[in-house]
Amino acid sequence: MAKWRRIRAVKRFVYERSRAFWYEKDLAEGWMAPPVGLPVRIDIHDTEGTLNWLRSFTESWMYNEKEIDVGLAEKHYFANAKLNDQIIGYTKIGVKRVYLYDFGRCLPLPDDVSFLYHVYVTREFRKNNIAQALITEVMSDLVGKGYHKMFCHI
């Protein structure tokens, strides 16, 4: 019962304080990523490589110190997609506790809920289903660890 109260509190906090579109994915529903159009390698454990790549961008939404600090402490996913050993995209997916830049604070998540921060693919490699491949790879790992839901907003 406490779990459902926590989920309702999270939804109330984020849905009522933002003009963004919020989504919830039931990970038990299953999914199937379309085939990737390029021979990319998805690495969901290369946190250091992803963070080094993100530091090269000037957009604050891609590399936010508070978001990164919480992510490292809570062991968030900083997955990347590589083509010929060069990162061409990434996703950040949080668990346990996430820092929401839009609200300037941390939000605790229920034990079985994850949060999709970002997914990004460099312009020249878009429309090859790389973003879906990144998210699908992390979702598979999350399900194996007992997660049931994923929230995100745009």
Side-chain angles (χ1 to χ4, degrees):
M1 187 63 143
K3 175 181 137 180
W4 295 110
R5 269 189 249 129
R6 188 174 219 179
I7 288 175
R8 281 194 302 274
V10 168
K11 285 181 179 180
R12 203 170 31 256
F13 173 79
V14 295
Y15 294 148
E16 293 174 3
R17 289 177 171 79
S18 174
R19 295 197 186 273
F21 292 104
W22 288 88
Y23 297 93
E24 177 181 332
K25 170 72 175 154
D26 182 349
L27 299 179
E29 289 176 355
W31 59 89
M32 194 162 144
V36 177
L38 296 168
V40 298
R41 185 172 59 85
I42 306 295
D43 191 337
I44 67 171
H45 301 293
D46 184 17
T47 298
E48 185 176 331
T50 302
L51 293 179
N52 286 336
W53 184 73
L54 289 174
R55 285 183 188 101
S56 70
F57 291 88
T58 57
E59 293 88 350
S60 63
W61 63 268
M62 288 181 82
Y63 191 91
N64 178 281
E65 288 291 338
K66 289 182 183 179
E67 190 178 280
I68 300 301
D69 289 346
V70 171
L72 291 172
E74 299 296 347
K75 299 188 180 0
H76 291 181
Y77 292 84
F78 297 91
N80 64 52
K82 292 180 182 171
L83 179 64
N84 300 322
D85 291 324
Q86 297 295 316
I87 295 176
I88 60 169
Y90 83 105
T91 188
K92 286 192 280 187
I93 297 178
V95 296
K96 298 179 188 169
R97 186 173 59 101
V98 295
Y99 178 80
L100 296 178
Y101 177 79
D102 299 358
F103 304 106
R105 65 182 262 196
C106 287
L107 180 68
L109 297 173
D111 292 338
D112 65 342
V113 173
S114 58
F115 183 83
L116 172 62
Y117 277 103
H118 306 133
V119 63
Y120 174 84
V121 175
T122 54
R123 187 174 309 280
E124 62 269 25
F125 299 109
R126 292 180 187 164
K127 298 188 180 191
N128 285 289
N129 302 320
I130 296 166
Q132 293 95 324
L134 278 161
I135 295 169
T136 299
E137 197 73 29
V138 175
M139 286 191 325
S140 292
D141 198 63
L142 287 165
V143 167
K145 292 179 178 177
Y147 285 85
H148 296 105
K149 296 207 180 288
M150 179 180 287
F151 293 149
C152 74
H153 76 290
I154 55 171

